[in-house]
Amino acid sequence: MAEAHQAVGFQFTVTPDGIDLHLSREVLKHIYLAGVTSWRKRAIRFKNGILTGVYPASPSSWLIVVVAIMSTMYARIDPSMGMIDSIKQTLPVSDYLTVQTQTIVSAILFATGLWLSLIFVLRYTLKVLLAYHGWIFEPHGHVSCSTRLWMRLVKMFSGRRPLLYSFQSSLPRLPVPRVSDTIKRYLESVRPLLDDEQYKQMEIVANDFKKTLAPKLQRYLVLKSWWATNYVSDWWEEYIYLRSRSPIMVNSNFYVMDLLYVTPTHRQAARAGNAVHAMLQYRRKLERGELAPLRALGVVPMCSYQMERMFNTTRIPGIETDFVQHLKDRKHLVVYHKGRFFRVGLYYGGRHLWPGELETQFQRILDDPSEPQPGELKLAALTAGERVPWARARLKYFSQGVNRASLEAIETAAFFLTLDDEAHGYDPEKLRSLDLYAKSLLHGKCYDRWFDKSFNLIAYKNGKLGLNAEHSWADAPIVGHMWEYVLATDCFHWGYTEDGHCRGDVNKDLLPPTKLQWDIPPQCQEVMESSYILAKEIADDVDFHGCLFDDFGKGLIKKCRTSPDAFIQLALQLAHFRDKGEFCLTYESSMTRMFKEGRTETVRSCTNESTAFVRAMEDPDKSNEEKLALFRRAAEKHQHMYRLAMTGSGIDRHLFCLYIVSKYLGIDSPFLKQVLSEPWRLSTSQTPQQQLNLVDYQKFPQYVSAGGGFGPVADDGYGVSYIIVGEHLVTFHISSKFSSPETDSYRFGQNIRQAMLDIRALFNVKEKKMV
């Protein structure tokens, strides 16, 4: 009962002598501290909002301009060319506004206008500079004089100590490519996949589209690009993600793994405590805009828009389309353990709970012996199944009473934490440990992750961690940025005691976690069971293989004077040809975050050059010199295509948007319909590494992440995510479906390994192995 009394700020009793009022000093103290923290947070946001709003100038520069203008006036010089006098004439004369005061006010107003004009000029100049992309097409290691000059100008106009969103107003808009360029590149991309007759037919259809429908559709698209911030991103989020009615588990969500070789503590509650506290620190920096913006080459800023919805975000199901709900200042998270849901407060006395306090709260949940309520165990399976049944069940069974309150607690939580009752992680002594770890993160038991949350933090009972992230609100590099911060903070900042507990004192007066209450009728439980059965079929069909390639890494590939990404993509083409005996349409994700609200673009990795190289590798009559020449030609082609995609000249997002316009206009295009229906039987993505440079892998080579992955995109294809870790390791995450007789993830992994070694054999270079 002590907790109940502490939760009441005041009590009163009616007596014959009147009302006897009792105040709780402890609760009033916490109310006061919470208010102070809230106002401090608002003040910091207001200050940072001003700093971002006037960037690349600073508030102090306003004072400099005012003082300069006032000084010239005292020197009887009018820099305004009469504008100050014009402003002065519009001001009324009164006892409080004398002629001298009018002059000062007029000068201040003119100086302020001049200052704002200078900010606009600086921003526009920076936007023009950032629209230049010639630097990205220059050969590696060669920087032209014009690019050097451009970099100096960008640095000069970028200001000092930018905040996270300082560059948002200076980023250029994503350009709409010319239809003729897109059609040309599309035809070039499908040429190695079609025979002469098929290609001739495709050429006719494509050219007919270019001459007839394309100009009209393009005009609407250009109009949208002028009006909207980004002509792709809103439609991409809506039509690719939110309007999809199929399960998002496996099909859309992706996962991120923990450190590969190191487990800082084997205490589940302690590891979760440090991780959650690090996430709260990251969220505070994010909300205040205090994180440094990512910049390519340390100069070119990346768009930070996607990071806004990392926390306090949930995908809400709908009948026809879902929507993303983003809130602010959420002060709790929801924890799932053995079929029970618990609400855990994240603040005490206006501050974040310390890692040790979070460990205490999580340990209380682990020690709780209560059983799940009827229907509670598999409740989260609703988020793993089809979207329409979940949307209808939400409206019918969770719109009132305790169900509404409990569901609201989940959907408004900062994020979702699962204290898993299994042990996972990479163990070289256990067969398929990485495979099982990946499958657990990707789908779990199909009812122990809330797949609609922006991300789920999963803490295993052996101290390993992982993430499962919903895809509509952001792409993998955004989640990876946060995850790097969390792992580095966990291991190198907070650490653990000798017996594995979190460091620091623990407040004994913390209110225990609150168990969420449910009243789930049998009809709703039937819907849950149907969703679970469907999700279980999907999960059981995922064939996963994790391949740690440590024969060589980025260090040796650089000695080969080629791009590591191009090297790996060509190895994937060679491996796929050996695996299936044919080439296929290949998807590689590239980012377009050099543009405002940019997300991704597709690099079509299967090219005429790559297929020529693969055929040469399989031809015993070809010499190593011929193979190497074809490899370099294919690698250069791949790099060029990647650069085109990054600079807004890709193929697929343009065609996608033209297709959406055609649907709005009710126009049927056989060409666009065929393009959008082509299956990606090899879908690939590189996980970025060291976005924050928080860990020196030369000093701490064991503190590397295994990256993350995703489910197969096509029923008869492969999904491959890879991460280039340090100088000596590449990790491949390979997924396919057991139901396809054409695919086998383990077999494909072995083909990738052999392809990497065979390509490496073309080069006469040696690598110093990591000790």
Side-chain angles (χ1 to χ4, degrees):
M1 291 297 292
E3 294 85 359
H5 284 297
Q6 289 177 11
V8 179
F10 67 91
Q11 297 174 338
F12 66 90
T13 306
V14 179
T15 68
D17 298 325
I19 298 177
D20 185 15
L21 186 64
H22 303 281
L23 297 177
S24 171
R25 293 184 180 180
E26 183 67 17
V27 174
L28 291 178
K29 174 186 174 184
H30 289 300
I31 292 173
Y32 168 75
L33 292 173
V36 170
T37 302
S38 178
W39 281 105
R40 185 187 298 124
K41 187 185 297 183
R42 291 177 188 175
I44 293 172
R45 285 179 181 172
F46 179 74
K47 181 199 75 173
N48 290 341
I50 291 176
L51 292 174
T52 299
V54 303
Y55 200 84
S58 64
S60 60
S61 64
W62 172 82
L63 184 61
I64 294 172
V65 174
V66 170
V67 170
I69 295 298
M70 297 295 291
S71 300
T72 58
M73 291 186 63
Y74 281 110
R76 299 188 180 278
I77 300 172
D78 183 9
S80 70
M81 294 181 292
M83 291 183 65
I84 292 177
D85 288 335
S86 299
I87 296 171
K88 182 179 176 181
Q89 291 174 8
T90 63
L91 297 176
V93 180
S94 66
D95 295 337
Y96 300 102
L97 199 61
T98 63
V99 175
Q100 185 178 6
T101 306
Q102 281 184 320
T103 303
I104 294 173
V105 171
S106 300
I108 292 174
L109 290 174
F110 171 76
T112 302
L114 178 62
W115 179 66
L116 292 174
S117 299
L118 290 172
I119 291 173
F120 175 80
V121 170
L122 287 172
R123 284 184 174 177
Y124 186 78
T125 303
L126 184 58
K127 181 177 286 190
V128 171
L129 288 169
L130 293 177
Y132 168 75
H133 297 122
W135 62 273
I136 204 171
F137 290 95
E138 292 184 346
H140 183 71
H142 172 75
V143 182
S144 65
C145 293
S146 59
T147 296
R148 292 179 192 275
L149 176 61
W150 169 80
M151 291 178 70
R152 289 193 183 98
L153 289 173
V154 171
K155 288 180 180 179
M156 183 174 70
F157 283 97
S158 292
R160 299 170 59 191
R161 295 191 297 274
L163 297 174
L164 181 62
Y165 302 113
S166 293
F167 292 109
Q168 288 300 103
S169 59
S170 299
L171 293 173
R173 291 173 182 243
L174 183 68
V176 181
R178 293 188 301 178
V179 171
S180 57
D181 291 340
T182 299
I183 297 296
K184 178 183 176 182
R185 292 177 187 134
Y186 171 78
L187 289 174
E188 186 181 353
S189 73
V190 298
R191 185 65 189 94
L193 306 175
L194 305 176
D195 59 32
D196 292 342
E197 185 62 32
Q198 290 173 327
Y199 180 74
K200 188 178 294 184
Q201 183 62 33
M202 175 57 73
E203 221 176 9
I204 294 171
V205 174
N207 288 324
D208 179 65
F209 169 76
K210 182 173 68 173
K211 294 175 182 177
T212 56
L213 297 179
K216 181 178 181 180
L217 303 180
Q218 179 78 347
R219 284 195 294 271
Y220 281 100
L221 204 55
V222 170
L223 180 62
K224 188 196 174 187
S225 73
W226 292 345
W227 178 255
T229 308
N230 187 295
Y231 82 91
V232 175
S233 294
D234 58 338
W235 284 349
W236 186 254
E237 179 176 310
E238 179 180 357
Y239 291 102
I240 296 300
Y241 295 113
L242 298 180
R243 281 188 178 268
S244 173
R245 303 293 80 200
S246 60
I248 62 175
M249 184 201 77
V250 175
N251 296 323
S252 177
N253 285 28
F254 58 93
Y255 67 86
V256 186
M257 286 184 170
D258 195 1
L259 299 172
L260 188 60
Y261 303 116
V262 176
T263 306
T265 179
H266 292 284
R267 294 187 183 274
Q268 183 178 16
R271 190 79 198 284
N274 261 13
V276 169
H277 185 78
M279 287 177 173
L280 295 178
Q281 287 183 304
Y282 184 90
R283 184 179 72 162
R284 180 168 59 192
K285 289 177 178 289
L286 186 63
E287 290 176 343
R288 295 177 178 179
E290 293 175 345
L291 293 167
L294 288 179
R295 289 195 269 188
L297 304 177
V299 176
V300 184
M302 302 287 108
C303 180
S304 302
Y305 165 74
Q306 294 181 60
M307 302 176 82
E308 294 178 4
R309 299 186 292 179
M310 185 174 298
F311 295 91
N312 323 320
T313 299
T314 305
R315 176 172 173 163
I316 305 298
I319 302 299
E320 294 183 357
T321 182
D322 298 351
F323 70 93
V324 177
Q325 172 186 274
H326 175 65
L327 306 170
K328 293 185 178 180
D329 296 328
R330 299 297 94 188
K331 297 183 178 180
H332 74 279
L333 62 81
V334 170
V335 181
Y336 178 94
H337 177 60
K338 289 187 175 180
R340 294 89 42 83
F341 293 83
F342 297 85
R343 177 187 175 123
V344 178
L346 299 174
Y347 288 80
Y348 180 83
R351 62 165 175 81
H352 290 150
L353 295 186
W354 295 114
E357 294 170 333
L358 289 165
E359 178 188 357
T360 299
Q361 297 291 65
F362 299 149
Q363 192 60 51
R364 286 172 172 173
I365 293 173
L366 293 172
D367 295 339
D368 189 310
S370 62
E371 293 294 323
Q373 299 162 74
E376 186 179 16
L377 176 66
K378 296 181 180 178
L379 174 62
L382 289 169
T383 69
E386 298 279 356
R387 304 305 291 172
V388 173
W390 170 209
R392 288 176 176 157
R394 186 176 181 276
L395 291 171
K396 187 173 183 180
Y397 303 114
F398 298 91
S399 59
Q400 58 187 355
V402 294
N403 288 348
R404 178 177 180 177
S406 295
L407 180 62
E408 190 174 278
I410 296 174
E411 293 180 340
T412 62
F415 53 92
F416 193 87
L417 168 64
T418 294
L419 295 175
D420 208 295
D421 56 356
E422 295 182 351
H424 282 290
Y426 173 63
D427 185 345
E429 296 181 359
K430 291 184 179 179
L431 187 65
R432 297 193 65 224
S433 62
L434 197 62
D435 306 3
L436 297 174
Y437 181 24
K439 282 179 66 67
S440 176
L441 289 173
L442 185 62
H443 52 68
K445 298 174 182 175
C446 304
Y447 57 78
D448 53 355
R449 287 95 173 91
W450 199 270
F451 294 101
D452 287 350
K453 289 301 289 183
S454 54
F455 67 88
N456 290 244
L457 172 63
I458 298 112
Y460 293 101
K461 68 177 184 179
N462 60 341
K464 277 295 183 184
L465 298 175
L467 295 178
N468 179 289
E470 201 275 315
H471 210 328
S472 65
W473 64 274
D475 301 308
I478 304 300
V479 179
H481 186 276
M482 179 268 290
W483 193 234
E484 282 187 37
Y485 177 92
V486 169
L487 294 181
T489 304
D490 172 31
C491 297
F492 296 100
H493 180 68
W494 288 111
Y496 300 89
T497 62
E498 290 184 1
D499 55 354
H501 290 287
C502 294
R503 299 182 186 276
D505 297 329
V506 177
N507 192 312
K508 303 298 183 182
D509 296 328
L510 291 175
L511 295 174
T514 304
K515 188 176 179 183
L516 299 186
Q517 299 301 310
W518 306 94
D519 182 14
I520 302 174
Q523 298 90 334
C524 182
Q525 293 182 40
E526 291 177 6
V527 179
M528 277 186 223
E529 190 62 27
S530 297
S531 293
Y532 169 70
I533 291 172
L534 174 61
K536 188 74 164 52
E537 289 177 0
I538 295 172
D540 290 344
D541 197 26
V542 175
D543 176 16
F544 185 88
H545 176 60
C547 176
L548 298 179
F549 183 85
D550 57 1
D551 293 80
F552 60 88
K554 182 173 64 176
L556 182 137
I557 295 174
K558 284 183 175 180
K559 291 180 180 179
C560 298
R561 295 185 177 182
T562 189
S563 158
D565 183 71
F567 188 103
I568 292 171
Q569 284 291 327
L570 289 172
L572 291 174
Q573 290 297 314
L574 178 57
H576 187 273
F577 186 79
R578 289 173 174 175
D579 188 84
K580 287 191 172 183
E582 62 182 9
F583 298 105
C584 72
L585 194 61
T586 305
Y587 181 112
E588 182 188 5
S589 180
S590 166
M591 67 90 184
T592 55
R593 288 173 60 203
M594 290 190 295
F595 301 97
K596 197 168 186 179
E597 295 187 14
R599 289 196 62 162
T600 61
E601 177 57 276
T602 304
V603 180
R604 294 180 167 229
S605 302
C606 184
T607 63
N608 289 318
E609 291 78 4
S610 68
T611 54
F613 163 70
V614 168
R615 288 194 173 98
M617 288 293 289
E618 298 301 276
D619 186 350
D621 296 330
K622 293 286 185 181
S623 66
N624 269 14
E625 289 74 17
E626 291 177 291
K627 294 175 182 178
L628 186 57
L630 289 170
F631 171 84
R632 293 204 180 280
R633 194 176 305 157
E636 287 172 8
K637 176 66 175 181
H638 180 82
Q639 285 181 271
H640 181 70
M641 292 177 60
Y642 201 98
R643 290 161 177 162
L644 287 173
M646 288 182 65
T647 53
S649 297
I651 301 169
D652 291 274
R653 299 301 177 270
H654 186 202
L655 293 177
F656 163 75
C657 288
L658 290 173
Y659 177 77
I660 298 299
V661 173
S662 73
K663 287 300 177 183
Y664 277 127
L665 297 177
I667 298 174
D668 185 53
S669 169
F671 170 71
L672 291 176
K673 189 179 294 183
Q674 182 169 345
V675 170
L676 271 294
S677 63
E678 292 169 345
W680 301 96
R681 290 193 170 88
L682 181 55
S683 181
T684 71
S685 178
Q686 180 185 170
T687 304
Q689 178 75 354
Q690 283 188 290
Q691 298 182 79
L692 294 173
N693 291 316
L694 295 176
V695 180
D696 184 351
Y697 291 121
Q698 296 296 325
K699 293 176 63 177
F700 304 101
Q702 298 301 306
Y703 285 83
V704 295
S705 170
F710 51 89
V713 175
D715 291 338
D716 55 351
Y718 291 108
V720 182
S721 174
Y722 54 93
I723 180 171
I724 303 170
V725 187
E727 299 293 311
H728 309 278
L729 175 66
V730 182
T731 302
F732 294 92
H733 300 252
I734 306 162
S735 63
S736 62
K737 294 188 177 183
F738 284 116
S739 56
S740 172
E742 300 178 26
T743 59
D744 184 310
S745 293
Y746 177 79
R747 182 186 71 207
F748 192 47
Q750 297 307 303
N751 281 326
I752 292 173
R753 180 181 294 278
Q754 190 58 50
M756 294 280 286
L757 294 172
D758 289 348
I759 296 176
R760 181 252 180 275
L762 299 177
F763 298 88
N764 186 27
V765 295
K766 296 182 179 179
E767 180 184 43
K768 182 180 178 181
K769 292 294 288 183
M770 178 178 62
V771 179

